[in-house]
Amino acid sequence: MRDTEYYEDIDQAGGGGNRFMMGMLWGAAVGAAVGLLFAPRAGSELRGQLSQQADRLRRRASDGYSKASDAVNDLVERGRDAVDQGRQKFEEVRSDFERQADIGVQH
């Protein structure tokens, strides 16, 4: 598997989680709005409450997205580091093997 295929698989695997989170957030927003619409309140009070709820929801969604994005980026970076270390170790072992093979051929 090429490195680019590996990273593309990681990127694609995370896409479903983003869609799920966005669906949860939209569902919560719609539920809150419907609940407020059916509550007995004055129009201006209702609009104020809807605005406050929307602001709170937007902040929570933004914070959650930032945390999830940071976690995914951290995992991807750690994966890249592991691949780089593995590649470096492979090159060291291959080089040692070639040196040993050259010594064996010369004797």
Side-chain angles (χ1 to χ4, degrees):
M1 178 182 289
R2 294 185 349 252
D3 290 340
T4 54
E5 290 173 354
Y6 173 76
Y7 295 125
E8 288 171 2
D9 289 345
I10 289 174
D11 291 341
Q12 291 171 358
N18 289 340
R19 287 191 301 269
F20 176 76
M21 285 299 295
M22 289 307 295
M24 290 286 293
L25 293 172
W26 277 108
V30 169
V34 169
L36 289 172
L37 288 173
F38 285 107
R41 306 237 184 250
S44 61
E45 188 179 345
L46 178 61
R47 285 189 298 275
Q49 257 188 334
L50 284 172
S51 176
Q52 288 174 353
Q53 286 288 89
D55 286 342
R56 258 186 258 136
L57 186 60
R58 184 175 40 245
R59 281 193 303 270
R60 288 174 70 190
S62 178
D63 291 345
Y65 180 80
S66 292
K67 288 177 184 177
S69 179
D70 290 345
V72 168
N73 288 337
D74 183 49
L75 287 172
V76 168
E77 186 61 33
R78 287 178 20 200
R80 286 180 180 153
D81 289 345
V83 168
D84 290 343
Q85 288 175 358
R87 190 176 290 131
Q88 182 180 8
K89 192 60 157 173
F90 173 79
E91 289 300 322
E92 289 173 11
V93 169
R94 186 175 63 83
S95 178
D96 288 346
F97 178 78
E98 287 175 351
R99 258 187 266 123
Q100 291 298 325
D102 287 344
I103 290 172
V105 169
Q106 292 175 0
H107 283 98

